[in-house]
């Protein structure tokens, strides 16, 4: 059974470690900083085999070159034709990779950036800055239509699928989610749980696809009444999931 560990980086990043407990090798996802990765490898007596990249932003890639200086033969998986130039194994949607005894499938998830990809199977999903716990990434390059389509792909995964995103933004996301749906008891209940976790300095991720369907307003954009409490200046004339998603993202940007 594959094991996924978290390495904390910067103020709120998680670098995910994928490892097979029966071996002394591992892979990391989105290493924006090499130092905590090297510390982790030393503490656990592990050898780094490869790196998975979801998109080109510096806080997901700046640690790669220093790690390569320590492990020159690393495979660096990442989006084909992305802005980051250090990818050695470029990937597109429908590609798959095998590591630590599991297969991860690649899906294209533009929105936060145009080159964003996620690595998923029915049990785990590494979603980078696309799907957060109770939120989604800002739209720096893509459109709301891009991001809703990307979300729709992720929401087809089993409800039990564990979601590993790259940032600890959950409390702020839940504050917004409660403004969107003040009568959603699932959000209120989970907000209390998340606050207790953070007070104890524990992380709120992974989450699950099923949980996101219940508490994440962006995952709930197909609900016809999701904009009932949204300020009118953010609502478009069209009433489609994409338009609702756009309204929610615009409100969140100004929240």
């Amino acid at each position: 059974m594959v094991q996924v560990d978290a390495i904390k980086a910067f103020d709120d990043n998680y670098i995910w470690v994928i490892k097979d407990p029966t071996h002394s090798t591992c892979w990391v996802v989105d290493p924006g900083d090499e130092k905590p990765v090297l510390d982790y490898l030393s503490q656990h007596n592990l050898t780094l085999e490869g790196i998975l990249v979801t998109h080109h932003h510096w806080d997901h890639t700046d640690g790669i070159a220093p790690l390569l200086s320590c492990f020159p033969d690393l495979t660096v998986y990442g989006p084909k034709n992305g802005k980051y130039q250090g990818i050695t194994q470029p990937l597109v949607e429908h590609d798959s990779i095998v590591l630590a005894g599991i297969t991860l499938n690649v899906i294209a998830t533009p929105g936060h950036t145009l080159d964003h990809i996620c690595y998923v199977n029915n049990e785990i999903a590494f979603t980078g800055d696309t799907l957060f716990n109770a939120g989604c990434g800002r739209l720096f390059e893509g459109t709301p239509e891009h991001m809703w389509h990307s979300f729709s792909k992720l929401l087809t995964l089993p409800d039990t699928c564990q979601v590993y995103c790259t940032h600890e933004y959950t409390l702020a996301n839940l504050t917004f989610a409660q403004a969107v749906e003040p009568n959603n008891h699932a959000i209120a209940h989970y907000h209390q749980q998340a606050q207790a976790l953070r007070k104890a300095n524990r992380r709120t991720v992974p989450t699950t696809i099923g949980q996101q369907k219940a508490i994440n307003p962006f995952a709930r954009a197909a609900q016809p009444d999701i904009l009932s409490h949204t300020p009118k200046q953010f609502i478009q004339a069209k009433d489609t999931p994409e338009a609702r998603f756009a309204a929610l993202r615009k409100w969140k940007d100004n929240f």
Side-chain angles (χ1 to χ4, degrees):
M1 181 69 180
V2 71
Q3 181 178 334
V4 181
D5 285 351
I7 300 173
K8 292 183 179 180
F10 309 120
D11 291 333
D12 49 35
N13 279 56
Y14 293 123
I15 300 168
W16 297 109
V17 183
I18 307 169
K19 61 183 181 179
D20 181 341
T22 64
H23 292 81
S24 59
T25 55
C26 68
W27 291 256
V28 293
V29 183
D30 287 342
D33 185 1
E34 77 283 356
K35 186 178 185 307
V37 175
L38 293 171
D39 289 345
Y40 176 93
L41 295 171
S42 176
Q43 290 166 11
H44 294 84
N45 196 27
L46 291 170
T47 299
L48 189 60
E49 284 282 310
I51 295 170
L52 282 64
V53 177
T54 61
H55 64 293
H56 63 81
H57 283 162
W58 70 268
D59 61 323
H60 297 247
T61 59
D62 268 11
I64 296 175
L67 288 172
L68 281 166
S69 69
C70 299
F71 302 95
D73 296 327
L74 290 180
T75 300
V76 182
Y77 301 97
K80 186 177 182 180
N81 300 323
K83 293 183 180 179
Y84 178 69
Q85 299 301 308
I87 303 300
T88 64
Q89 183 65 52
L91 301 168
V92 296
E93 186 161 76
H94 306 305
D95 283 343
S96 62
I97 61 176
V98 179
L99 47 84
I102 62 168
T103 299
L104 291 172
N105 303 307
V106 175
I107 58 174
T109 53
H112 177 67
T113 64
L114 291 178
D115 65 348
H116 203 296
I117 60 176
C118 295
Y119 302 86
V120 309
N121 61 31
N122 284 339
E123 286 77 43
I124 55 178
F126 297 98
T127 60
D129 286 359
T130 296
L131 172 60
F132 291 139
N133 193 353
C136 76
R138 286 180 177 269
L139 305 183
F140 287 115
E141 296 176 7
T143 65
E145 290 76 16
H146 282 137
M147 195 65 131
W148 172 247
H149 185 53
S150 296
F151 255 59
S152 298
K153 295 178 187 178
L154 291 168
L155 294 175
T156 65
L157 294 169
D159 284 355
T160 54
C161 182
Q162 299 276 303
V163 175
Y164 295 88
C165 59
T166 315
H167 291 282
E168 183 60 71
Y169 292 163
T170 307
L171 292 184
N173 288 340
L174 286 166
T175 298
F176 176 70
Q178 285 195 287
V180 175
E181 293 190 279
N183 300 317
N184 184 324
H185 298 298
I187 295 173
H189 178 68
Y190 180 65
H191 200 174
Q192 291 182 330
Q193 291 181 323
Q195 286 173 321
L197 286 170
R198 296 306 296 149
K199 188 174 182 180
N201 199 30
R202 295 172 59 192
R203 50 187 166 87
T204 63
V205 287
T207 177
T208 66
I209 291 294
Q211 186 174 54
Q212 293 312 294
K213 289 177 180 178
I215 68 166
N216 189 326
F218 298 99
R220 295 170 57 77
Q223 301 288 330
D225 60 348
I226 195 69
L227 301 183
S228 297
H229 299 274
T230 301
K232 288 185 170 51
Q233 67 263 31
F234 301 121
I235 299 176
Q236 303 177 3
K238 291 188 290 186
D239 186 31
T240 63
E242 294 86 349
R244 293 180 213 127
F245 190 101
L248 292 170
R249 187 63 255 181
K250 190 175 291 187
W251 185 16
K252 181 67 164 61
D253 290 342
N254 293 276
F255 190 67

